[in-house]
Amino acid sequence: MLGAPEIGVGMLGYAFMGKAHSNAFKKIAYMTWPPPLEPRLVGIAGRNAEAVREAAERYGYEYATGDWHELIADDRIGLFDNGGPNSLHAEPTIAAAEAGKHVICEKPLGRDADESYEIWRQVAATGVKHLCGFNYRFVPAARLAREMIESGELGEIRHFRGRYLQDWGDDPTLDTWRFHPDEAGSGALGDLGTHVVDLARFLAGEIDAVSGFAKTFLPGRSVDDAIEAAVQFAGGAVGTIEATRLALGRRNAFQWEINGTKASLAFDMERLNELQVFRADGDRARGFKTVLVSETDHPFMSHWWPPGHIIGWGDTFVHELNHVLQAIVDDGDVAPFGATFEDGYRAAEVCDAIVRSGQSGQREQIRYRTIGV
Amino acid sequence: MLGAPEIGVGMLGYAFMGKAHSNAFKKIAYMTWPPPLEPRLVGIAGRNAEAVREAAERYGYEYATGDWHELIADDRIGLFDNGGPNSLHAEPTIAAAEAGKHVICEKPLGRDADESYEIWRQVAATGVKHLCGFNYRFVPAARLAREMIESGELGEIRHFRGRYLQDWGDDPTLDTWRFHPDEAGSGALGDLGTHVVDLARFLAGEIDAVSGFAKTFLPGRSVDDAIEAAVQFAGGAVGTIEATRLALGRRNAFQWEINGTKASLAFDMERLNELQVFRADGDRARGFKTVLVSETDHPFMSHWWPPGHIIGWGDTFVHELNHVLQAIVDDGDVAPFGATFEDGYRAAEVCDAIVRSGQSGQREQIRYRTIGV
Amino acid sequence: MLGAPEIGVGMLGYAFMGKAHSNAFKKIAYMTWPPPLEPRLVGIAGRNAEAVREAAERYGYEYATGDWHELIADDRIGLFDNGGPNSLHAEPTIAAAEAGKHVICEKPLGRDADESYEIWRQVAATGVKHLCGFNYRFVPAARLAREMIESGELGEIRHFRGRYLQDWGDDPTLDTWRFHPDEAGSGALGDLGTHVVDLARFLAGEIDAVSGFAKTFLPGRSVDDAIEAAVQFAGGAVGTIEATRLALGRRNAFQWEINGTKASLAFDMERLNELQVFRADGDRARGFKTVLVSETDHPFMSHWWPPGHIIGWGDTFVHELNHVLQAIVDDGDVAPFGATFEDGYRAAEVCDAIVRSGQSGQREQIRYRTIGV
Amino acid sequence: MLGAPEIGVGMLGYAFMGKAHSNAFKKIAYMTWPPPLEPRLVGIAGRNAEAVREAAERYGYEYATGDWHELIADDRIGLFDNGGPNSLHAEPTIAAAEAGKHVICEKPLGRDADESYEIWRQVAATGVKHLCGFNYRFVPAARLAREMIESGELGEIRHFRGRYLQDWGDDPTLDTWRFHPDEAGSGALGDLGTHVVDLARFLAGEIDAVSGFAKTFLPGRSVDDAIEAAVQFAGGAVGTIEATRLALGRRNAFQWEINGTKASLAFDMERLNELQVFRADGDRARGFKTVLVSETDHPFMSHWWPPGHIIGWGDTFVHELNHVLQAIVDDGDVAPFGATFEDGYRAAEVCDAIVRSGQSGQREQIRYRTIGV
C-alpha cells in the first residue's frame, strides 16, 4: 500500500479505450493524491494474443489473457473495466458483477435499449457499483456547467442543442468493428450520439420525445453515418441532437449550448478546457465569457496544475475512474455526477427512439423502463 | 441624372426595415459607383402620420402619406418597396405590381404558404421584377459560399445545420406587431426561421421533408418563440434548422455550417465579415480558415474599403437593392443570387411544414406548387 | 433646412479618405437623427481633375476644383475637411482656419512633430474647432473602453500593448504617395503607428519615454515598413507599440490590450464590433467576455440597428464627424473624446521619439511643447 | 526491463516542477511506446523532509532525501533532473555532470548570464547530455512551427512578437522563492521572459540587440513584475518581447506570432493544441487556419490519441524528457529540437541585456560567449 488500499483491476480491451483507461488508472495513483484506492493492474484480456501481451507489458498488467473469463475468475480483481467492442459489453459485464466485482462499461452500454436494459437490470441486482463510460461528464467544463445549473444560476432551461461532429468516416476502405452492426449495434448513433444524449440528460434533464432519423451516406456501409433529431425535454426545454462522422474538418467537435432564463453556456470538446458563459447580470459589458476551467477551486483541477495550465482529453478518464474508486471506498452513489448503467440504458432508449422515428416518420415518445425493486 | 438614370422609389414602412432600406437606397447612389439606376426617394407610407412625416424628412422622401395607395397611384414611382408588417405584404405588393411597378417585399413573403403563393402567382403574372427581402444572401460571406458551392469546391453536400438565435423575446411586457398572429402570421418562425430556410435552400438546395415543431414558452404569447426541426434535402444532405428569440446572450446569431465531401463552411452573423473555410487539400496544417471576406475581388466588396476594413449589417441591403436595380436596368433575372417571390413562397412551404409536423407528430414531405405558365 | 441648420463642407481629397468622409457626412444627416447640423457638400478639391469631377458627381458636391484655395475662399463653407496627402495637411488647414472655418485634418497631423506643432499652434490661435482624424477613438468599443477607464472600472493601469498589423506593403512595384518621404513624412509609423500612439494616449494616458526603432525591409523603399518600441507612460504603465505593413495575413489588425488592477480589455479592429472584457469580480466563472458593442445604451449605437446588428469600419467616421458638428453647434470642446490638433501634435512627438531612439540607440524621454496662451 | 533498458532518475525538487517531471517520467514508459529507456524513479531530494517523503511515496521514488548530494553519490542514478529553485541550479547540476550523470535543469539555467555560462561550460566539459527545461519547444504546435520554418514554408522572417502574460503576481501577501532575488535571480524575466526568448531563438533565430527594461509594480517586491523590449534578430527580423505577472485575466497566455514572406504563424499557450497558420497560397478564401495540432503524422502525437483528442500542458514534459532519453540511448544531440545548456546560457544573455538596457537607457548589443573547445 502506498497512498491507499489497493483494488485489483481487470481490463477487457487493449486498444483505444484500453489505453485511455489504463493511463487513467496509473495516473490516479499519484495525481488525485491521496487516491481513494490504489489501482493495481492485475490482468488484461483481448482477442489478439500478441497485442494483448504487448498491452500488458506496456501498461504494467501482471498478466494478459485471450479469455476474459479468466479475469472474472480472478479473486484479486475487484473492479472489472469493460472497454471491448459493444457486442462484448453484456456478457462479461454481467458475469463480473455476478462474481461480485464492481463494473465499468464503455458506452454505449448495449447495442440497443433492450440489451442495455438487461445489462442494467442484471448488474443492479448484484449490488455492485456500476458506471457507464460517459467520460464527457468528467470534463471540468461539463461539471462546472452541472454545478451552475443545480445551483439555479441558469434559471429555467429553454434550449439544449448538441452535436458531435467528427470526420473520419468518409473512407470506404476503412474497416473496424465500429462499422459492423453485430459488433457495434449502430454507427455514429451509438458511438457519438449517445454522448450527446447523455450530456443532454446530465445538463437539461430527461428527454420526452424525439423527431428525427439516422442516415447512411456511404454505399455499402451497414451502420448509420449520421443522426439528426429535434427533441423535447420533460422540463419543457426543446432543442436538437446531431451526430455525424462526416463533418469534414471537425475532428472531435462535441459542441453543446444551453440557454436558460438567467444564463447560457456553450462548449466545444476541441477546446475542452473552456466553457462559454453568458450571465444576464445587468453588466453593460454584456457577452459570453471564455472561461478557462482550470481554477484550483474546481473539484477536478485541484490536483492538477496551476490555473491556465490546461489538461488533455485523456485526463477526463482520470476523473471518471477516480469517481468510481471514491464511490467504492465510500460505498456511495455513482450518480448523479457519474453515469450509472441506468443512465446507459436511458440513453439507449433515446437513441432507439431516433431510429424508430426515422422508420415510422413519427415523433416518438419515450417510455423508460424501471427495474422495479 | 447623376451617375445613372433615375428610378422613383415608394417605400411602405418607416421603422426598422424602412430605415434599413432607405439607408441602402441612399448609399447605392455613390457606393456601388456607377449605380445601375439612381434611386429617387419619392414617397413613403405608414400608419403613424407623425412618424412617417419624420421619416420622410429624415431620409429625404419627397412626401409622406398615411395611405399606401397613394404610392401605387404615383407614376413617378417605378419601384415599390414593402417593409411593412407581414399582414400588409400581400395587398399593396400585388397592387403595385399590377400598376407596373417592380416590387420588393420583406420576408416572410406572406403569413403562410397560401398567402405567399398568391403573392407570387399574382405578381409573377404581371411580369415585373420581384425580390423577397432575404438580405442575408447578400452578406459577402454567403455569396462567397454560394460561389464556392457552385464551382464544386465543396463536392457533394452532406450536412447543413442552421440556427438563428436571438434573445429579445423574453419580456412578457413587450408588445409589437411581431407578437400578433394576424399581423405577423407566426413568431420566430416567420421572422428568423425563414432566413434559415432561405439560406439552407440558397446553399444546400431544396428541402424535401422536415420533422419538428414550433414552441411557445411565454405565457400569454400568441406566436411561437422557437422552432426546431430535423431536415432532409432533395440532394441527399441532412441537418437541422432552428430559430429562437430566447437564446440568452445571442443577439443576432444566425449561424450555419455546411459539410461537403471536399470542404466545409461555417458562419455566424454576429461576425458577418468572416467565413470559416475548411478544405481537404492535403495540407499537413489542417484546419478551418477564418476568412475575412473583404477582399476587392469579391463582387460586393469591390466598391467598399480596402481589405480588412469591415462592413456592417446595414450594408447587406445596399448589395440587395443594388441587385434589384441591376436586374431592372438589364431586364435580367433576380434569381439565382437574389430571392424571388418564388423563393419567398418556397420558404413559406417549409415553415408551414414545420408547424404541421409539430401538430401531426409526423415527418412532413413538402410539395411545392408551381404557377404553371 | 431638414433636421437641422446647414453647414457647408469643403473637402480636400477624393480618394480613400475623401470617400470615407463623404459617406459619413451623407449618413450623419439621417443616421444620427436629428443631426446637430446638416452637412451640405459644397466643394471638393483634388489634383486629378477628372477624378475630382467624378468624386463631386458621385458624392454630390456642388462643385469640383483642382485648387484647394477655392474652398478656402468659399464663404458657404463653414467646415474644411482635409483628407489629402500628409504634405498637404499644413498649408490648407491653417489657411482654412485663418479664414474662420472649422477644420478637420486626417492623421498624421503633420509629417513630423515640428510641422504638427505649427499646425496646432496656428490653428489654435484662430479659435476654430479642430479635430485630428484619429477615427479609431470613434469605434464603439474604444469609447466603451474609455468610459470604463474613466469610471474607474479598470483600476490602476499596468499595461498597454498595441500593434497595428497590415500586410499590403510587401510589393516592390507598388507606388503611392505613402511611400514618398516628402509627401508622407514616414511609412508605417505615420500611417499606422500614430493610430496606436493616439489610442494608447486616449486609454492609458500620456507617454513619457520610448525605446525602439523604425525598420525598412524592402530594398529601395524610402520610408519605414515597421516600427517597434517599448514604452513608459506617465501614469506608471508600461508596454509596447508596434506597427507594420508586413504582417502577412493581417489586413487591418489594429490590436490593443490594457491590463488594469481591476479589469483588462482587449480589442482587434478586424472584429471592431467586439471588446474583450475581463473583470476581477470574484465570479467563479472567470474569463474574458466577448462583448458585442452594439447595445442601444451606447452613445454611438443609439441611432443604428438593434443589438447584434453590427456596424462597419466606415461608420466610425459618422461618429467622428458627428462629434465635430456637435462641438460646433454647442461651441463645445472636441476633447476629450475627439482628438484635437494638440493630440495630433503629441502623437507626432511620440512617433519622432521612436525614430530618434532608433538612431541614437537610447531611450528617448518625450517633452511636449505647449502653445502658451 | 519492460519495454526498454532502465535508466535511474534522481530528481531534485518535489513541488511544481517535481510533479510535472515525475508525471512525465512515469508516462514515458507506456505512452511513447516503446520508450527509448525505461525511467526508474530512484531518489528524490528536497529541503522539506515531510514533503519530499510524501512526494517519494506519491510518485514512486525508491527513497527521499533532504540532501541532494545523496543523489549525486548514487550510482544507480544515470540521469539527474534539477527542478529546484534557481539558486540550486548550478552546484547540484555541475556536480551531477561531473559524476557522469546526464543532466536536465529547469529554466532559467542560472540566475544570470554569468552563472548560466559557468553551468554550461562546466557541464559541457564532462561530455554528458544536458537539456535546459524550455518545455515549450515540446508543444506540438511549436515543433510544427519549427518544422515549417526549417522547410522554408515561411520564407524570410520579418517579425516575431512574443509575450508571456500571467496574472498571479498581484498579491502583496504572496511569498515564494520566486520573489526572492537570491533564490530566483529575477522575477517575471527569468520565469516567463526566458521562455519567450527561447522560443524566439528557436523559431526566429539569434537575437542581436534589445531596447527595453524591467519594471517592478508592487511596493516592497524585490524582483521585476514585468519586462518590455523591442528586439532585433541577427537574420533581420524585428519585434517585441514582453513578460508580466500582472496581466489580469491572462492565466498562462504565452502568445507569439511570426510573420514571414510566405506564411505567418500565431499561438497562445492557453490553447496549446492549436496553431494559427496563414499561407500566401493565392487561395481566394484567405485567412488564418486554426490548426488543431493533434494529427498522427506529428512526431509528438503519434503515440497519443486520435486526431482532435487534445493533450494537456503536462504532456509537453513527456515529449521533452523522452527527447533526452532518446539522445542518451542514441548518443545523439539534444539540439536543435531540445534546448541545451548553451541555449539556456544564450537566453540568459538576452535577459541580462534587457535589464542592462533598462538601467543604461541604451540599446544593448548582445555578445555571446563561447566555451572554446
Side-chain angles (χ1 to χ4, degrees):
Chain A
M1 166 178 163
L2 293 168
E6 277 186 358
I7 183 167
V9 171
M11 183 83 216
L12 170 55
Y14 50 82
F16 186 24
M17 280 303 124
K19 183 181 185 181
H21 285 236
S22 298
N23 171 56
F25 280 123
K26 295 171 81 71
K27 292 186 76 166
I28 282 170
Y30 60 88
M31 201 47 87
T32 63
W33 186 259
L37 290 168
E38 174 93 18
R40 174 180 165 197
L41 303 184
V42 176
I44 186 166
R47 285 177 293 189
N48 181 318
E50 191 178 353
V52 74
R53 205 161 41 234
E54 184 184 281
E57 184 189 355
R58 180 172 181 173
Y59 302 116
Y61 287 87
E62 298 172 16
Y63 65 84
T65 173
D67 179 3
W68 56 263
H69 295 87
E70 203 175 329
L71 303 180
I72 307 297
D74 189 334
D75 285 345
R76 293 169 302 174
I77 291 176
L79 174 61
F80 178 76
D81 185 349
N82 191 336
N86 302 344
S87 53
L88 265 180
H89 284 185
E91 192 187 352
T93 303
I94 293 167
E98 291 182 342
K101 300 178 198 310
H102 302 293
V103 287
I104 295 166
C105 183
E106 261 308 313
K107 39 60 56 180
L109 184 56
R111 283 164 294 180
D112 58 18
D114 286 345
E115 189 175 59
S116 301
Y117 178 76
E118 277 309 306
I119 300 174
W120 171 39
R121 192 182 62 80
Q122 295 186 42
V123 167
T126 69
V128 302
K129 306 295 174 196
H130 45 91
L131 175 135
C132 182
F134 288 118
N135 63 307
Y136 290 150
R137 293 185 176 207
F138 292 92
V139 167
R143 176 64 159 265
L144 177 57
R146 167 83 186 213
E147 292 181 7
M148 290 178 68
I149 291 167
E150 281 195 348
S151 71
E153 293 175 59
L154 263 75
E156 181 191 338
I157 294 178
R158 259 88 179 257
H159 291 294
F160 174 89
R161 61 189 67 85
R163 50 192 171 273
Y164 201 145
L165 311 177
Q166 294 187 342
D167 70 353
W168 59 275
D170 197 16
D171 180 352
T173 68
L174 207 62
D175 193 24
T176 144
W177 64 264
R178 293 179 187 276
F179 290 147
H180 295 184
D182 54 335
E183 287 182 279
S186 64
L189 178 68
D191 184 17
L192 309 178
T194 46
H195 272 305
V196 186
V197 168
D198 183 65
L199 245 294
R201 294 183 61 250
F202 186 56
L203 297 176
E206 207 55 84
I207 295 172
D208 258 9
V210 298
S211 304
F213 51 84
K215 165 99 180 177
T216 301
F217 282 91
L218 269 77
R221 181 147 301 162
S222 308
V223 296
D224 61 278
D225 292 313
I227 56 126
E228 310 283 348
V231 299
Q232 296 172 329
F233 290 81
V238 297
T240 54
I241 286 180
E242 307 177 70
T244 180
R245 289 165 170 167
L246 298 178
L248 198 65
R250 304 297 179 191
R251 283 309 210 183
N252 198 34
F254 180 9
Q255 306 170 338
W256 47 259
E257 176 165 335
I258 299 181
N259 306 121
T261 51
K262 293 184 183 171
S264 288
L265 305 173
F267 176 80
D268 185 340
M269 192 66 67
E270 290 186 352
R271 287 178 173 165
L272 76 83
N273 291 271
E274 300 177 13
L275 183 66
Q276 303 285 324
V277 177
F278 178 89
R279 292 189 191 275
D281 57 6
D283 188 351
R284 180 184 181 187
R286 184 185 192 276
F288 276 83
K289 280 184 201 179
T290 300
V291 178
L292 202 51
V293 190
S294 54
E295 299 295 315
T296 48
D297 61 356
H298 189 291
F300 297 157
M301 297 309 297
S302 52
H303 297 289
W304 292 95
W305 321 107
H309 294 68
I310 70 172
I311 63 165
W313 172 85
D315 298 327
T316 62
F317 294 95
V318 177
H319 310 147
E320 180 184 70
L321 301 184
N322 187 64
H323 180 80
V324 174
L325 298 188
Q326 194 71 52
I328 292 170
V329 82
D330 294 347
D331 193 15
D333 287 331
V334 166
F337 292 125
T340 64
F341 282 7
E342 179 172 10
D343 292 305
Y345 154 68
R346 286 179 168 244
E349 281 287 8
V350 178
C351 290
D352 277 18
I354 293 172
V355 173
R356 277 203 314 278
S357 177
Q359 293 162 345
S360 68
Q362 303 217 333
R363 182 178 313 130
E364 295 286 333
Q365 296 292 330
I366 304 169
R367 270 169 230 87
Y368 298 98
R369 287 169 260 182
T370 59
I371 50 172
V373 208
Chain B
M1 166 178 163
L2 294 167
E6 277 186 359
I7 183 167
V9 172
M11 183 81 214
L12 172 54
Y14 50 81
F16 186 25
M17 281 301 126
K19 183 181 183 179
H21 284 236
S22 299
N23 172 57
F25 280 124
K26 296 172 81 71
K27 294 186 74 167
I28 283 171
Y30 59 89
M31 201 46 89
T32 63
W33 186 259
L37 290 168
E38 174 93 17
R40 174 180 164 197
L41 303 185
V42 176
I44 185 164
R47 284 176 296 190
N48 180 317
E50 193 178 351
V52 74
R53 205 159 42 231
E54 186 185 279
E57 184 189 354
R58 179 171 183 175
Y59 303 116
Y61 287 88
E62 298 173 15
Y63 65 85
T65 174
D67 179 4
W68 56 263
H69 296 88
E70 206 176 327
L71 304 179
I72 307 298
D74 189 334
D75 285 346
R76 292 168 303 173
I77 292 176
L79 175 60
F80 178 76
D81 186 348
N82 192 336
N86 303 345
S87 53
L88 265 179
H89 284 185
E91 193 186 352
T93 303
I94 293 167
E98 291 182 341
K101 300 178 197 314
H102 302 293
V103 287
I104 295 166
C105 183
E106 261 308 313
K107 38 60 57 179
L109 184 56
R111 283 164 293 181
D112 59 17
D114 286 347
E115 189 176 58
S116 301
Y117 178 75
E118 277 309 304
I119 301 174
W120 171 38
R121 193 182 60 80
Q122 295 187 42
V123 167
T126 68
V128 302
K129 305 296 177 198
H130 46 90
L131 175 136
C132 182
F134 287 118
N135 64 304
Y136 290 150
R137 292 184 175 209
F138 292 92
V139 167
R143 177 65 159 265
L144 177 58
R146 166 84 186 213
E147 293 181 7
M148 290 178 68
I149 291 167
E150 281 194 350
S151 72
E153 294 175 59
L154 263 75
E156 180 191 340
I157 294 178
R158 259 86 180 259
H159 291 295
F160 174 89
R161 59 189 70 86
R163 51 191 170 275
Y164 200 146
L165 312 178
Q166 294 187 344
D167 69 354
W168 59 275
D170 196 16
D171 179 351
T173 69
L174 207 62
D175 193 24
T176 144
W177 64 265
R178 294 179 186 277
F179 291 148
H180 296 184
D182 53 336
E183 288 182 278
S186 64
L189 177 67
D191 184 17
L192 309 179
T194 47
H195 271 306
V196 186
V197 168
D198 184 66
L199 245 295
R201 294 183 60 250
F202 185 57
L203 298 176
E206 207 55 84
I207 295 172
D208 258 7
V210 298
S211 305
F213 51 84
K215 165 97 180 180
T216 301
F217 282 92
L218 269 77
R221 180 148 299 163
S222 308
V223 296
D224 61 277
D225 292 313
I227 56 127
E228 310 283 348
V231 300
Q232 296 173 330
F233 290 81
V238 297
T240 54
I241 285 180
E242 307 177 72
T244 180
R245 290 166 169 164
L246 298 178
L248 200 62
R250 303 297 181 191
R251 284 308 210 183
N252 197 36
F254 180 9
Q255 307 170 338
W256 46 260
E257 176 165 335
I258 299 181
N259 306 120
T261 50
K262 294 185 183 170
S264 288
L265 305 174
F267 176 80
D268 185 340
M269 191 66 68
E270 290 186 352
R271 288 179 173 165
L272 76 82
N273 291 272
E274 300 178 11
L275 183 66
Q276 303 287 323
V277 178
F278 178 88
R279 292 187 191 277
D281 56 7
D283 187 353
R284 179 185 182 186
R286 185 185 192 278
F288 276 83
K289 280 184 200 178
T290 299
V291 178
L292 201 51
V293 189
S294 55
E295 298 296 314
T296 49
D297 62 355
H298 190 289
F300 297 157
M301 298 309 297
S302 52
H303 298 289
W304 292 97
W305 320 110
H309 294 68
I310 70 171
I311 63 165
W313 173 86
D315 298 328
T316 61
F317 294 95
V318 177
H319 310 147
E320 179 184 70
L321 300 184
N322 187 65
H323 182 78
V324 174
L325 298 187
Q326 194 70 53
I328 291 171
V329 82
D330 294 346
D331 194 14
D333 288 331
V334 166
F337 292 125
T340 64
F341 282 8
E342 180 172 9
D343 292 305
Y345 154 68
R346 285 178 169 247
E349 281 287 9
V350 177
C351 289
D352 277 17
I354 292 171
V355 172
R356 277 203 313 278
S357 177
Q359 292 163 344
S360 69
Q362 304 218 333
R363 182 178 313 128
E364 294 286 332
Q365 296 292 330
I366 303 171
R367 270 168 228 88
Y368 298 97
R369 286 168 261 181
T370 59
I371 50 171
V373 208
Chain C
M1 167 181 162
L2 293 168
E6 279 186 357
I7 184 168
V9 172
M11 182 83 216
L12 172 54
Y14 51 81
F16 185 26
M17 281 302 126
K19 183 182 185 180
H21 285 236
S22 298
N23 171 57
F25 280 124
K26 296 171 81 69
K27 293 187 75 167
I28 283 171
Y30 59 88
M31 201 47 87
T32 63
W33 187 259
L37 290 168
E38 173 93 17
R40 174 180 163 195
L41 304 184
V42 176
I44 186 165
R47 284 177 295 189
N48 179 318
E50 192 178 353
V52 73
R53 206 160 41 234
E54 185 185 279
E57 184 190 355
R58 178 172 183 174
Y59 303 115
Y61 287 88
E62 298 172 14
Y63 65 83
T65 174
D67 179 4
W68 56 263
H69 294 88
E70 205 176 327
L71 303 180
I72 307 298
D74 189 334
D75 285 346
R76 292 169 302 172
I77 292 176
L79 174 60
F80 178 77
D81 186 349
N82 192 337
N86 303 345
S87 53
L88 265 179
H89 283 184
E91 193 186 352
T93 302
I94 294 167
E98 292 183 339
K101 301 178 197 311
H102 302 294
V103 288
I104 295 166
C105 184
E106 261 308 313
K107 38 59 56 181
L109 184 56
R111 284 164 292 181
D112 58 18
D114 287 347
E115 189 177 58
S116 301
Y117 177 76
E118 278 308 305
I119 300 174
W120 170 40
R121 192 182 62 79
Q122 295 187 42
V123 167
T126 68
V128 301
K129 305 296 173 197
H130 46 89
L131 176 135
C132 183
F134 288 118
N135 63 305
Y136 291 150
R137 293 185 176 207
F138 292 92
V139 167
R143 176 66 158 265
L144 176 57
R146 168 81 186 216
E147 292 181 7
M148 290 178 68
I149 290 167
E150 281 195 348
S151 71
E153 293 174 59
L154 264 74
E156 181 191 338
I157 295 178
R158 258 85 179 261
H159 291 295
F160 174 90
R161 59 190 69 87
R163 49 191 172 274
Y164 201 146
L165 312 177
Q166 295 188 341
D167 69 354
W168 59 274
D170 196 16
D171 179 352
T173 70
L174 206 63
D175 194 22
T176 143
W177 64 263
R178 294 179 187 277
F179 290 147
H180 296 184
D182 53 336
E183 287 181 278
S186 65
L189 178 67
D191 183 17
L192 309 178
T194 47
H195 271 305
V196 187
V197 168
D198 183 66
L199 244 297
R201 294 183 60 250
F202 185 56
L203 297 176
E206 207 55 85
I207 295 173
D208 259 9
V210 298
S211 304
F213 51 84
K215 166 96 179 181
T216 301
F217 283 92
L218 269 77
R221 179 146 302 161
S222 308
V223 295
D224 60 276
D225 292 313
I227 57 127
E228 311 282 347
V231 300
Q232 296 172 330
F233 290 81
V238 297
T240 54
I241 285 179
E242 306 178 72
T244 180
R245 290 166 169 165
L246 298 178
L248 199 64
R250 304 297 180 190
R251 283 309 210 182
N252 198 35
F254 179 9
Q255 306 170 337
W256 47 259
E257 175 165 335
I258 299 181
N259 306 121
T261 50
K262 293 184 183 170
S264 287
L265 304 174
F267 175 81
D268 185 339
M269 192 65 68
E270 291 186 351
R271 287 179 172 165
L272 76 82
N273 291 271
E274 300 178 11
L275 183 66
Q276 303 286 324
V277 177
F278 178 88
R279 292 187 191 277
D281 57 6
D283 188 352
R284 179 184 183 189
R286 184 185 193 277
F288 276 82
K289 281 184 199 177
T290 299
V291 178
L292 200 52
V293 190
S294 55
E295 299 295 315
T296 48
D297 62 354
H298 189 290
F300 297 157
M301 298 308 298
S302 53
H303 298 287
W304 291 96
W305 320 109
H309 294 68
I310 70 172
I311 62 165
W313 172 86
D315 298 327
T316 61
F317 295 94
V318 177
H319 310 147
E320 179 183 71
L321 300 185
N322 187 64
H323 180 80
V324 175
L325 298 188
Q326 193 71 53
I328 291 171
V329 82
D330 294 346
D331 193 16
D333 288 331
V334 166
F337 293 124
T340 64
F341 282 8
E342 180 172 10
D343 292 306
Y345 154 68
R346 284 177 169 245
E349 280 287 9
V350 178
C351 289
D352 277 19
I354 292 172
V355 173
R356 277 203 314 279
S357 178
Q359 292 162 344
S360 69
Q362 303 219 333
R363 181 177 316 128
E364 294 287 331
Q365 297 291 329
I366 303 170
R367 271 168 230 87
Y368 298 98
R369 288 168 258 182
T370 58
I371 51 171
V373 208
Chain D
M1 165 178 163
L2 293 167
E6 276 186 358
I7 182 166
V9 172
M11 183 82 215
L12 172 54
Y14 50 81
F16 186 26
M17 281 302 124
K19 183 182 184 180
H21 285 235
S22 298
N23 171 57
F25 280 123
K26 296 172 80 71
K27 292 186 77 167
I28 283 171
Y30 60 88
M31 200 48 85
T32 62
W33 186 260
L37 290 168
E38 174 94 17
R40 173 181 165 196
L41 303 185
V42 176
I44 185 166
R47 285 176 293 188
N48 180 318
E50 191 178 353
V52 74
R53 205 160 43 233
E54 184 185 280
E57 184 189 355
R58 178 172 183 173
Y59 304 115
Y61 287 88
E62 297 171 16
Y63 64 84
T65 173
D67 180 5
W68 58 263
H69 295 88
E70 204 175 329
L71 304 179
I72 307 297
D74 189 334
D75 285 345
R76 294 168 301 172
I77 292 176
L79 174 60
F80 178 76
D81 185 349
N82 191 337
N86 303 344
S87 54
L88 266 180
H89 284 185
E91 194 186 351
T93 303
I94 294 167
E98 291 183 342
K101 302 178 196 310
H102 302 293
V103 287
I104 295 166
C105 184
E106 261 309 312
K107 38 61 56 180
L109 184 56
R111 283 163 293 181
D112 59 18
D114 286 346
E115 188 176 59
S116 301
Y117 177 77
E118 277 309 306
I119 300 174
W120 169 40
R121 193 183 60 81
Q122 295 187 42
V123 168
T126 68
V128 302
K129 305 295 175 196
H130 44 90
L131 175 134
C132 183
F134 288 118
N135 63 305
Y136 291 150
R137 294 184 175 208
F138 292 93
V139 167
R143 177 64 159 265
L144 176 57
R146 168 82 185 214
E147 292 181 9
M148 289 178 68
I149 291 167
E150 282 194 348
S151 71
E153 294 175 58
L154 262 75
E156 181 190 338
I157 294 177
R158 259 87 180 259
H159 291 295
F160 174 90
R161 60 190 69 86
R163 48 191 172 276
Y164 200 147
L165 312 178
Q166 294 187 342
D167 69 354
W168 60 274
D170 196 16
D171 179 351
T173 69
L174 206 62
D175 193 24
T176 144
W177 65 263
R178 294 179 186 277
F179 291 147
H180 295 184
D182 54 334
E183 288 181 278
S186 64
L189 178 67
D191 184 17
L192 309 179
T194 46
H195 271 304
V196 187
V197 168
D198 183 66
L199 245 294
R201 294 183 60 251
F202 186 56
L203 297 176
E206 207 55 86
I207 295 172
D208 258 8
V210 298
S211 304
F213 51 84
K215 165 97 179 180
T216 301
F217 283 92
L218 270 76
R221 181 148 300 163
S222 308
V223 295
D224 61 276
D225 293 311
I227 56 126
E228 310 282 347
V231 300
Q232 296 172 330
F233 290 81
V238 298
T240 54
I241 285 179
E242 307 176 73
T244 180
R245 290 165 170 166
L246 298 178
L248 198 64
R250 304 296 180 191
R251 285 308 211 183
N252 198 35
F254 180 8
Q255 306 170 337
W256 46 260
E257 176 165 335
I258 300 181
N259 307 119
T261 50
K262 294 184 182 171
S264 287
L265 305 174
F267 176 80
D268 185 340
M269 192 65 69
E270 290 186 352
R271 288 179 172 165
L272 77 82
N273 290 271
E274 300 178 13
L275 183 66
Q276 302 286 323
V277 177
F278 177 89
R279 292 189 191 277
D281 56 6
D283 188 352
R284 180 185 181 186
R286 184 185 193 277
F288 276 82
K289 280 183 200 178
T290 300
V291 178
L292 201 52
V293 189
S294 54
E295 299 295 315
T296 48
D297 61 355
H298 189 291
F300 297 157
M301 298 309 298
S302 52
H303 298 288
W304 292 96
W305 320 108
H309 295 68
I310 70 172
I311 63 165
W313 173 85
D315 298 327
T316 61
F317 294 94
V318 177
H319 311 147
E320 180 184 71
L321 301 185
N322 187 65
H323 181 81
V324 175
L325 299 188
Q326 194 70 53
I328 291 171
V329 81
D330 295 346
D331 193 16
D333 287 331
V334 166
F337 292 125
T340 64
F341 282 8
E342 180 173 11
D343 293 304
Y345 153 69
R346 285 178 170 246
E349 281 288 8
V350 178
C351 290
D352 277 20
I354 292 171
V355 172
R356 277 203 313 279
S357 178
Q359 293 161 345
S360 69
Q362 303 217 333
R363 181 177 316 129
E364 294 286 332
Q365 297 291 330
I366 303 169
R367 269 166 229 87
Y368 298 97
R369 288 168 258 182
T370 58
I371 51 172
V373 208

